[in-house]
Amino acid sequence: HVQLVESGGGSVQVGGSLRLSCTASGYTNRPYCMGWFRQVPGKAREGVAAIDSSGTTAYADSVKGRFTISKDNAKNTLFLQMNSLKPEDTAMYFCAADGRIDLNPLGWLTTRRAFDYRGQGTQVTVS
């Protein structure tokens, strides 16, 4: 079992930056594909960025050039650097991990299946 805990959310002005962190604990040795998705009440989740165990990344078109996903394997921590934030980036951001062998980062962004593990989320508000 894996536990994921997000941090770093908050309120920021348009054009500002935030850095989200997601710390994993538990059985973290499996080659997971991990990433961030966001959700607004009443809407479907949107995959934002994903990264696999080899470091290959994928981004939603809406955040390309503004968001960067990275990870620190030694600290079991996933990051999402968000720059040039826009009001439409306002959402609850969740970290999630999935161990499916056939799931690459691009597939992670668009899959509708439930992820193996997800955190409780951190709110990002841009105004």
Side-chain angles (χ1 to χ4, degrees), residues 21-32:
S21 299
C22 171
T23 301
S25 60
Y27 183 55
T28 59
N29 290 331
R30 189 174 177 186
Y32 295 102

Side-chain angles (χ1 to χ4, degrees), residues 27-95:
Y27 183 55
T28 59
N29 290 331
R30 189 174 177 186
Y32 295 102
C33 188
M34 298 186 68
W36 297 88
F37 68 91
R38 62 190 181 188
Q39 193 157 22
V40 175
K43 293 187 177 181
R45 79 185 189 207
E46 177 189 13
V48 174
I51 186 169
D52 67 11
S53 57
S54 71
T56 300
T57 60
Y59 295 90
D61 288 343
S62 58
V63 306
K64 280 182 182 176
R66 300 188 297 121
F67 291 12
T68 303
I69 189 171
S70 61
K71 60 179 180 174
D72 184 333
N73 291 327
K75 296 182 178 180
N76 290 328
T77 302
L78 183 73
F79 302 100
L80 184 68
Q81 178 66 43
M82 306 186 294
N83 299 328
S84 302
L85 283 162
K86 304 175 181 180
E88 51 263 43
D89 295 318
T90 295
M92 185 72 82
Y93 283 71
F94 297 87
C95 167

